[in-house]
Amino acid sequence: MQAVNLLPRDIEVPPMLRGNQGASVRLSGVSRSFDANRVLAGLDLHVRPGEFLSIVGKSGCGKSTLLRLIAGLDKPTTGTVTVDGKPATQAGDRLRIMFQEPRLLPWASVADNVAIGLRNGPDPDAVAEALELVQLPDKASFWPAQLSGGQRQRVALARALVSHPGLLVLDEPLGALDALTRLTMQNLIRDMHAKAGFTAILVTHDVAEAVALSDRVIVLGQGGILSQTEILRVGPVTRGSAELAAIEGEILDAIFAA
Amino acid sequence: MSVIETLSPARSRSPGWRPSLPGRHALLPYAVPAAILMLWEIAGATGLVADTVMPRPSTIFATAVRMTLSGELFTHLGVSAARALAGLVIGGGIGFALGVANGVSRISETLTDTTLQMIRNIPHLALIPLVILWFGIGEGAKLFLVALGVFFPIYLNTLHGIRNVDSQLIEMGRAYGMTSRELFRRVVLPGALPSIFVGLRYGLGIMWLTLIVAETLSASSGLGYMAMQAREFMILDVVVLSILLYAALGKLADTLTRALDRRALKWSPAYAGR
Ligand SMILES: Nc1ncnc2c1ncn2[C@@H]1O[C@H](COP(=O)(O)OP(=O)(O)OP(=O)(O)O)[C@@H](O)[C@H]1O
Ligand SMILES: [Mg+2]
């Protein structure tokens, strides 16, 4: 593991401080095979409460497979996945997932779609608050078909956050958006993470995005973790800075070295 | 007769590439029928077409008024409508239930779908001789035929609709902790609804068709009986009137389902702003 410090090591790091309600995630010896195709092999990973972790790697290297295991949508062939010490499948609304597509119910209003994230029945105040958070307070009664792609993805984010989860798992949530909307959404997710303090695990094919958002970036390949990069910082991200560009370059090298 | 295939839901009404008509045009679709009626009346009045071949619209209208006042028309109409509705409820109900069962349960599908697909290839009207032998010429025979005719389009389209519900939405529902029951009510059924409506519209068409044939062959009341009775006594205006009534009933049923469709699918972009 290599660590790239943007700050002197002895300065206290904010991610650790704000992690009081984030979930901790632990994978031990996780393998997943599809018939003869061994996608993940003996993978170990610990994600600290409140950490923002990004997973990058070549297409088909098993990023989505890994994320589905963490989200409890799939079970490992061997090994264990735990969220706060319990099996991921029992995490309930402590764990929320955001997909590449918004996956809103077309026949439900925006507000009703957000309410899907609430397990204990509809709560108009919580829904309104979540919509406020993603800056769509006036769209509550719209149909999803009446929104733009970026707005739909923001509704999906509101749905994921309305239950105040401890872990947010994101599989290329911004992949289908245009570059400008993507930047806006990145800032939104980053803000949300800073405010709410959940643990975030993001799969992305955009290394710049991973570096801009994360506390740690791991490169997945050959069934395991090829390299890890800690990004320590305080204050707002300075996009396009020389340090970030250097980290980006190293991560890209690690991906292509595989 | 039983060429009922599944269709994709009615999405073709989007404005698309066709330029919209300028101004008000609510009455425009009726211009051609009105012109035809007028020409028909003139052809009859001038003796170009003999009344014994084709009675004039005005004659038919007068007959309709007379039969309405005597109550005869509504009796037959009521009987036919009751038969149609009963057949629709029974056949459609069973078709919907089996479509849901086979869409949701693999065991149920494996058990019944092949059989149903085989039966589907029998034109249901070909069963008339057999049905008459079984049920006689009573209500049972007509109910059976209508129900059987309505069954297939509704069954096939319900099954098709449920099978084609977006699997990504189902995964989302699961990930967000929906129970199977909730998943069905909130995701599967609404997702299948457009297709179910297509089945219903097809089913209604078949319902009238079957009823006409069944009532014409054997009945002692109903529109088909009224037409056959009039044919025996060569009362041509009543024959044409009953044909027109069938057309009107078919149109009415279609309009009703369209309205229902529009209400239930108001979220769909195909209906937005309409
Ligand atoms: N349900 C499945 N059945 C069989 N093989 C699968 C299944 N899901 C994934 N795989 C295989 O696992 C491998 C990794 O797939 P995965 O979707 O995790 O890749 P990925 O890293 O997310 O790729 P991308 O960046 O293109 O999304 C692929 O070789 C794929 O064929
Ligand atoms: Mg993937």
Side-chain angles (χ1 to χ4, degrees):
Chain A
M1 141 129 58
Q2 51 173 325
V4 180
N5 287 3
L6 296 182
L7 296 161
R9 254 286 186 207
D10 52 2
I11 287 183
E12 196 58 54
V13 182
M16 309 297 179
L17 290 178
R18 55 165 195 246
N20 44 5
Q21 76 133 337
S24 88
V25 180
R26 195 177 287 278
L27 286 80
S28 352
V30 166
S31 304
R32 180 67 171 99
S33 308
F34 297 100
D35 301 322
N37 179 12
R38 193 154 189 199
V39 179
L40 300 173
L43 189 135
D44 294 307
L45 177 66
H46 173 54
V47 190
R48 299 180 297 266
E51 185 177 7
F52 200 123
L53 174 81
S54 288
I55 303 171
V56 297
K58 282 184 185 154
S59 180
C61 71
K63 302 184 295 292
S64 296
T65 305
L66 176 60
L67 211 64
R68 292 174 56 81
L69 291 175
I70 295 173
L73 294 175
D74 189 14
K75 288 212 168 76
T77 314
T78 61
T80 56
V81 180
T82 60
V83 175
D84 279 342
K86 287 182 298 187
T89 42
Q90 291 169 24
D93 64 2
R94 274 286 277 166
L95 185 163
R96 282 304 186 217
I97 184 161
M98 218 178 137
F99 305 91
Q100 177 163 0
E101 318 78 22
R103 302 202 187 179
L104 305 177
L105 299 181
W107 42 86
S109 70
V110 164
D112 289 345
N113 267 292
V114 173
I116 290 172
L118 294 166
R119 281 292 82 208
N120 306 318
D123 175 351
D125 293 339
V127 169
E129 187 197 357
L131 282 174
E132 189 86 41
L133 221 57
V134 298
Q135 294 151 26
L136 289 174
D138 50 344
K139 302 281 191 221
S141 59
F142 279 50
W143 300 115
Q146 295 170 308
L147 301 181
S148 74
Q151 288 172 331
R152 278 178 219 165
Q153 203 55 305
R154 274 192 270 163
V155 174
L157 184 61
R159 179 181 63 191
L161 295 181
V162 71
S163 64
H164 302 288
L167 172 63
L168 180 63
V169 165
L170 312 108
D171 192 354
E172 300 195 20
L174 313 181
L177 303 178
D178 66 275
L180 218 60
T181 312
R182 212 150 80 203
L183 286 183
T184 322
M185 284 293 287
Q186 283 174 11
N187 291 338
L188 189 64
I189 291 175
R190 179 83 215 175
D191 281 357
M192 222 59 86
H193 177 249
K195 273 188 211 141
F198 50 80
T199 307
I201 304 179
L202 168 77
V203 161
T204 175
H205 58 254
D206 181 350
V207 176
E209 179 174 291
V211 172
L213 292 175
S214 329
D215 303 314
R216 177 159 56 128
V217 181
I218 66 176
V219 177
L220 201 65
Q222 293 158 1
I225 296 171
L226 294 176
S227 82
Q228 308 202 25
T229 309
E230 296 265 3
I231 302 165
L232 308 174
R233 63 176 131 233
V234 283
V237 193
T238 39
R239 227 173 262 287
S241 72
E243 291 100 323
L244 289 188
I247 302 171
E248 251 179 78
E250 278 171 41
I251 292 170
L252 282 170
D253 287 345
I255 293 173
F256 287 116
Chain B
M1 202 65 58
S2 64
V3 220
I4 317 118
E5 291 304 331
T6 51
L7 278 193
S8 59
R11 289 268 159 79
S12 55
R13 289 177 64 89
S14 62
W17 49 271
R18 298 200 303 176
S20 56
L21 281 177
R24 293 163 53 84
H25 54 272
L27 293 178
L28 209 52
Y30 300 100
V32 174
I36 290 177
L37 277 182
M38 235 153 71
L39 286 176
W40 177 3
E41 181 72 39
I42 293 168
T46 55
L48 206 63
V49 178
D51 273 354
T52 47
V53 175
M54 191 68 185
R56 274 180 267 166
S58 54
T59 320
I60 295 169
F61 183 73
T63 308
V65 171
R66 180 174 50 76
M67 290 182 79
T68 306
L69 291 179
S70 74
E72 202 180 341
L73 196 63
F74 277 114
T75 313
H76 289 303
L77 207 64
V79 169
S80 288
R83 281 176 188 149
L85 210 66
L88 175 71
V89 168
I90 295 172
I94 299 174
F96 176 73
L98 262 176
V100 167
N102 289 1
V104 171
S105 150
R106 213 167 283 272
I107 303 175
S108 167
E109 188 187 354
T110 319
L111 212 60
T112 60
D113 191 57
T114 310
T115 316
L116 290 173
Q117 296 295 344
M118 271 157 35
I119 298 176
R120 182 166 78 98
N121 288 315
I122 306 171
H124 69 291
L125 293 179
L127 293 178
I128 287 177
L130 193 60
V131 169
I132 291 181
L133 282 178
W134 284 347
F135 295 94
I137 58 165
E139 291 303 313
K142 285 177 275 291
L143 210 60
F144 179 84
L145 282 172
V146 173
L148 188 67
V150 170
F151 169 83
F152 279 105
I154 295 194
Y155 166 71
L156 289 174
N157 283 284
T158 303
L159 182 61
H160 172 83
I162 287 186
R163 272 210 201 123
N164 285 284
V165 170
D166 189 349
S167 59
Q168 293 190 332
L169 288 183
I170 293 177
E171 190 185 52
M172 182 282 295
R174 287 235 167 79
Y176 275 79
M178 288 189 193
T179 60
S180 300
R181 182 182 289 251
E182 250 182 310
L183 208 57
F184 180 76
R185 192 175 55 80
R186 299 186 66 178
V187 182
V188 176
L189 198 58
L193 213 54
S195 179
I196 295 173
F197 275 125
V198 171
L200 182 63
R201 284 231 294 278
Y202 264 113
L204 287 173
I206 297 199
M207 173 186 85
W208 289 122
L209 190 73
T210 312
L211 196 66
I212 296 167
V213 175
E215 283 188 343
T216 311
L217 286 180
S218 66
S220 50
S221 59
L223 284 180
Y225 168 77
M226 188 177 99
M228 287 319 281
Q229 199 71 353
R231 180 199 61 115
E232 241 162 69
F233 297 105
M234 301 282 282
I235 315 172
L236 213 54
D237 45 349
V238 176
V239 174
V240 178
L241 177 64
S242 57
I243 292 172
L244 290 179
L245 277 176
Y246 271 125
L249 285 175
K251 176 73 185 160
L252 180 71
D254 196 59
T255 308
L256 283 179
T257 37
R258 260 177 211 280
L260 195 68
D261 201 271
R262 200 161 295 202
R263 244 186 100 83
L265 306 182
K266 57 184 188 293
W267 50 269
S268 162
Y271 288 102
R274 225 154 305 165

